[in-house]
Amino acid sequence: MGDSSIMVWDSVLSGLRTQIPPTSFETWFSDAQALDYTDGALVIGVPDSFKKGGIERRYRDTIEGIATSVCQQPVSLEVRVLSMRPDGATALEKGEPPAFPTVGGSLPLNPDYTFGAFVRGENNRLAVAASEATADAVARNLKKPYNPLFIYGSVGLGKTHLLHAIGNAVREMDSARSVVYTTSERFAIELINAIRNNSTAAFRDKYRQVDLLLIDDVQFLKGKEATQEELFHTFNDLHGNRKQIVLSSDRPPEDLSGLQDRLVSRFKWGLEADIQPPDFETRMAILREKATTRGLEVNHDVLELIAKRISSNVRALEGALVKAIAYAELQGQPLTPKSIEGVLPKEGRRPRLTVAHIKEEVALHYQIPLPELDGASRKKEITQARQVAIYLARELTELSFPSIGREFGDRDHTTIMHAYSKIKLLLADTPLLSADIGDLQEGLESRYSLIR
Ligand code: ADP
Ligand code: MG
């Protein structure tokens, strides 16, 4: 039944893409795979129990809804945790999932993330030029102009795209070069597994033999002492052997708190190139590029409206375009500025953000009943949603801890402070939570005005 499960799952993914923000889509579904479809039961596999829980809690209804309409019969979803064996084979694990998937290895390069598909503007000129020069030097075995190359900028501005583009370009110029792309979290998990399996020697060999090591999101190394230690040695080895290292982060090296000084000082040895939010012209060019790659003809006025309304995040820009197209299709209307007005963030004076707005957004996001946020339930998913709402209330409004307490079922201010600092701490090294909070914040900021 493998084939039909893949077809069903593909349709579900296409549907989901238009219904949820691209960041959420990537976070939850990038590594999910179809396993089986028999008699209205769709089984998918994900790499860890965290994703299983998240998908079941947040997306079960949506997935079952789409699958039901695709298959024209009621479909129920089952999510299983898969563990990867080092040879890449997957072993299906029923019952209790492992704490970590035992994955072997780095991550694949996305073939769509190339230099050709990357739109240049004033905002990213240095980062792109340095990335191209770096790719060239690695492929042709020249002296490395910048080592490491450290690319930084806030979320959704193209850091991951550029890292993949460097890797893709090197492979294209010289397929014999060994290129490894990983994220700091993946590197950490791999190291933990290596320590558990007594295979640290193999782990080291692998990373010290590469020509180009690309490590995404090094801000998540915070607090991971053993991983920092290992990376420090890997870095020294590669650098000493004139191998290239490229790193990305959401902030410049000097602002990376919780990282060992000696590691941060290595990060500053080469070039630090930042990416800023794109200006209007660049946003228009990006939208045109994205429409073209998707084979869509979208008229200028529509692109202009989207480019005007969304300014700080390219992923959101792309998401709005996709959403606008899907929306127009659903309504059976041509794609015009007027027909997509409803899906775009409002222009002009937006209502001032209140705690009530935050609660609504959080309840919807986590799919829990709104009153639970004020209530006393200690169920794990409810507590976490409540803490996230409290965190956002503190971050996005000017309210004091006691006033926030009053908004959340008259809780004591110490409880509120505790919730706030708990989320703040978790955020530092829980990428999925920070993606969640990023989504929530993005949604709120696009519809309400914030006074901080
Ligand atoms: P980051 O890693 O900085 O959070 P990504 O590299 O994931 O951002 O980029 C988010 C999305 O925006 C991707 O789909 C990427 O292709 C697209 N993108 C970002 N900047 C550009 C650009 N200058 N030209 C084309 N696409 C871009
Ligand atoms: Mg990224």
Side-chain angles (χ1 to χ4, degrees):
M1 297 304 284
D3 286 353
S4 58
S5 72
I6 291 170
M7 274 159 53
V8 174
W9 184 237
D10 270 357
S11 320
V12 169
L13 289 178
S14 318
L16 279 170
R17 243 184 228 286
T18 64
Q19 295 186 19
I20 67 178
T23 357
S24 309
F25 183 85
E26 220 173 279
T27 305
W28 297 104
F29 299 104
S30 56
D31 43 17
Q33 47 177 296
L35 297 176
D36 188 37
Y37 177 74
T38 317
D39 298 334
L42 172 65
V43 186
I44 63 166
V46 295
D48 55 58
S49 54
F50 188 89
K51 287 208 174 157
K52 172 176 153 73
I55 292 174
E56 287 175 339
R57 197 176 64 243
R58 295 166 57 176
Y59 301 110
R60 174 187 292 286
D61 291 349
T62 317
I63 293 172
E64 290 181 345
I66 301 171
T68 298
S69 74
V70 171
C71 304
Q72 313 247 308
Q73 67 161 324
V75 175
S76 65
L77 175 74
E78 185 188 331
V79 187
R80 291 186 195 162
V81 176
L82 298 171
S83 75
M84 274 329 179
R85 291 206 302 264
D87 58 6
T90 58
L92 194 55
E93 295 212 354
K94 283 183 126 178
E96 264 319 288
F100 287 107
T102 45
V103 288
S106 35
L107 299 161
L109 291 176
N110 180 339
D112 297 334
Y113 285 172
T114 59
F115 285 124
F118 199 79
V119 176
R120 290 127 217 263
E122 280 313 319
N123 61 311
N124 58 30
R125 203 170 294 290
L126 175 65
V128 180
S131 297
E132 285 180 324
T134 297
D136 202 48
V138 175
R140 303 202 286 141
N141 207 8
L142 307 173
K143 186 171 182 303
K144 309 296 178 292
Y146 321 108
N147 204 7
L149 171 59
F150 190 99
I151 299 175
Y152 69 92
S154 70
V155 66
L157 294 181
K159 302 181 296 293
T160 297
H161 188 137
L162 275 184
L163 259 55
H164 284 243
I166 297 172
N168 281 321
V170 167
R171 283 203 183 143
E172 198 182 299
M173 287 185 270
D174 183 351
S175 57
R177 298 271 165 236
S178 140
V179 175
V180 168
Y181 168 84
T182 188
T183 64
S184 58
E185 304 110 82
R186 180 66 71 126
F187 187 80
I189 292 175
E190 227 188 307
L191 175 64
I192 291 166
N193 284 325
I195 294 170
R196 267 195 209 151
N197 306 334
N198 288 321
S199 58
T200 44
F203 175 85
R204 282 188 187 136
D205 278 357
K206 169 184 158 187
Y207 278 99
R208 294 182 192 178
Q209 275 168 13
V210 304
D211 295 305
L212 169 63
L213 176 60
L214 305 151
I215 304 190
D216 214 350
D217 289 323
V218 296
Q219 72 273 14
F220 294 128
L221 289 170
K222 180 171 176 169
K224 299 191 171 87
E225 293 300 326
T227 310
Q228 290 183 31
E229 176 83 23
E230 190 63 36
L231 181 60
F232 176 74
H233 295 297
T234 307
F235 188 105
N236 290 342
D237 254 43
L238 289 176
H239 200 276
N241 290 321
R242 311 211 165 156
K243 304 299 186 191
Q244 178 72 44
I245 302 142
V246 181
L247 306 156
S248 88
S249 156
D250 67 351
R251 65 201 79 179
E254 56 271 25
D255 294 349
L256 284 168
S257 56
L259 258 63
Q260 299 169 4
D261 289 344
R262 55 180 194 170
L263 197 55
V264 172
S265 84
R266 297 288 185 286
F267 289 174
K268 298 166 83 162
W269 274 358
L271 178 75
E272 294 165 35
D274 67 327
I275 309 185
Q276 295 291 328
D279 59 18
F280 178 75
E281 296 305 324
T282 311
R283 297 203 292 281
M284 284 297 285
I286 292 172
L287 284 171
R288 270 191 227 109
E289 159 73 27
K290 299 290 171 189
T292 313
T293 351
R294 287 167 189 267
L296 299 163
E297 264 186 49
V298 184
N299 86 35
H300 182 82
D301 294 350
V302 167
L303 296 184
E304 201 171 81
L305 181 66
I306 299 174
K308 269 190 193 143
R309 295 288 178 83
I310 294 167
S311 58
S312 60
N313 177 329
V314 178
R315 189 182 283 127
L317 199 63
E318 197 176 352
L321 175 68
V322 172
K323 208 158 138 190
I325 293 166
Y327 185 74
E329 264 173 25
L330 266 169
Q331 311 279 311
Q333 287 179 7
L335 195 56
T336 62
K338 195 156 175 279
S339 72
I340 62 165
E341 178 71 42
V343 297
L344 295 176
K346 304 258 174 303
E347 193 179 30
R349 294 195 65 190
R350 291 169 287 179
R352 166 119 177 235
L353 180 74
T354 64
V355 173
H357 297 139
I358 295 175
K359 286 189 198 163
E360 258 170 41
E361 189 89 3
V362 169
L364 196 71
H365 187 85
Y366 289 105
Q367 312 244 306
I368 61 168
L370 187 60
E372 295 277 25
L373 291 176
D374 295 344
S377 166
R378 286 171 178 271
K379 272 169 74 181
K380 195 169 164 235
E381 67 261 30
I382 296 194
T383 318
Q384 171 135 1
R386 186 184 298 130
Q387 288 170 342
V388 165
I390 290 170
Y391 172 84
L392 288 169
R394 177 64 184 182
E395 285 286 306
L396 304 179
T397 73
E398 286 184 309
L399 297 178
S400 63
F401 285 121
S403 332
I404 296 173
R406 281 190 288 280
E407 300 259 5
F408 284 86
D410 251 332
R411 286 182 153 73
D412 189 71
H413 74 278
T414 52
T415 312
I416 300 298
M417 283 165 71
H418 173 76
Y420 174 78
S421 43
K422 176 150 182 222
I423 295 295
K424 188 142 188 132
L425 252 172
L426 274 176
L427 267 180
D429 54 8
T430 320
L432 287 174
L433 179 64
S434 76
D436 252 14
I437 290 187
D439 278 359
L440 285 162
Q441 204 162 324
E442 217 173 84
L444 289 167
E445 287 180 0
S446 71
R447 277 176 291 118
Y448 305 101
S449 74
L450 271 54
I451 298 182
R452 284 190 235 204

